[in-house]
Amino acid sequence: MAKKTAQAPSENFTDFTPYEMKKGEEYMSAEMLQHFKELLLSWKQELMEEVDRTMHHMQEDAANYADPSDRATQEEEFSLELRTRDRERKLIKKIDKTIDRIDKDDYGFCDQCGVEIGTRRLEARPTATLCIDCKTLAEIRERQTGI
Ligand SMILES: [Zn+2]
């Protein structure tokens, strides 16, 4: 019955070639910005395909169950998939915002302290707006106030 389980959205994108900085190249050069823009666009594409797949899966499955207990299972599955889709949609929005910042040449520097976030960290998390130090601090604060 619960044959297919909802897949978590790709929280990060790995299908790219890491950027190699040329000698003397400036951080966030036009070329580098382009690299991240392409990375974000491919990631977005992948997420949108995932959303599509989830929708098709739900439409296909909706017709397949007549038994009420099967329907209960199906409803659980659907609510899980809806949550997944919701996360995907939020992530896509975040990606759009990030692309917007690239277009405005406002990308790659920490929102909090202004240092370079760094290409490797950005490749691991292209929507990052904080450097690793500020991010760690923010998480500690969140944990302290969150409980
Ligand atoms: Zn910072």
Side-chain angles (χ1 to χ4, degrees):
M1 275 182 300
K3 43 190 174 16
K4 284 174 259 176
T5 42
Q7 278 205 325
S10 328
E11 294 289 346
N12 47 28
F13 186 70
T14 49
D15 188 17
F16 65 90
T17 316
Y19 191 80
E20 289 301 331
M21 269 178 101
K22 281 176 227 71
K23 229 177 157 182
E25 184 180 352
E26 214 183 310
Y27 180 71
M28 288 303 143
S29 63
E31 226 175 299
M32 204 187 280
L33 286 170
Q34 189 57 31
H35 164 76
F36 280 106
K37 189 172 174 177
E38 275 163 22
L39 198 162
L40 283 154
L41 285 169
S42 322
W43 188 19
K44 183 181 166 184
Q45 183 64 34
E46 189 188 271
L47 281 165
M48 282 167 67
E49 279 164 19
E50 270 175 45
V51 173
D52 259 13
R53 263 200 299 277
T54 317
M55 281 185 69
H56 281 141
H57 172 199
M58 285 173 74
Q59 280 160 2
E60 271 169 33
D61 277 10
N64 286 346
Y65 298 105
D67 187 302
S69 70
D70 281 354
R71 275 208 299 271
T73 311
Q74 192 195 14
E75 266 167 34
E76 254 170 65
E77 244 183 84
F78 275 15
S79 75
L80 194 78
E81 295 198 1
L82 283 175
R83 276 204 300 275
T84 306
R85 260 176 65 197
D86 192 49
R87 278 210 303 271
E88 283 166 348
R89 238 184 275 124
K90 277 188 191 134
L91 203 50
I92 289 171
K93 239 187 241 167
K94 215 165 149 189
I95 291 172
D96 279 337
K97 238 196 237 164
T98 309
I99 291 171
D100 199 45
R101 289 187 63 161
I102 290 181
D103 287 339
K104 288 180 181 133
D105 202 5
D106 177 26
Y107 180 71
F109 297 89
C110 178
D111 274 355
Q112 201 87 49
C113 70
V115 303
E116 298 176 1
I117 294 175
T119 47
R120 291 303 167 252
R121 170 162 163 73
L122 284 171
E123 279 174 342
R125 199 161 274 278
T127 53
T129 54
L130 295 175
C131 72
I132 192 74
D133 290 342
C134 291
K135 179 69 187 167
T136 309
L137 255 174
E139 272 168 4
I140 291 170
R141 267 191 221 119
E142 213 171 277
R143 238 174 290 145
Q144 281 170 344
T145 53
I147 301 161

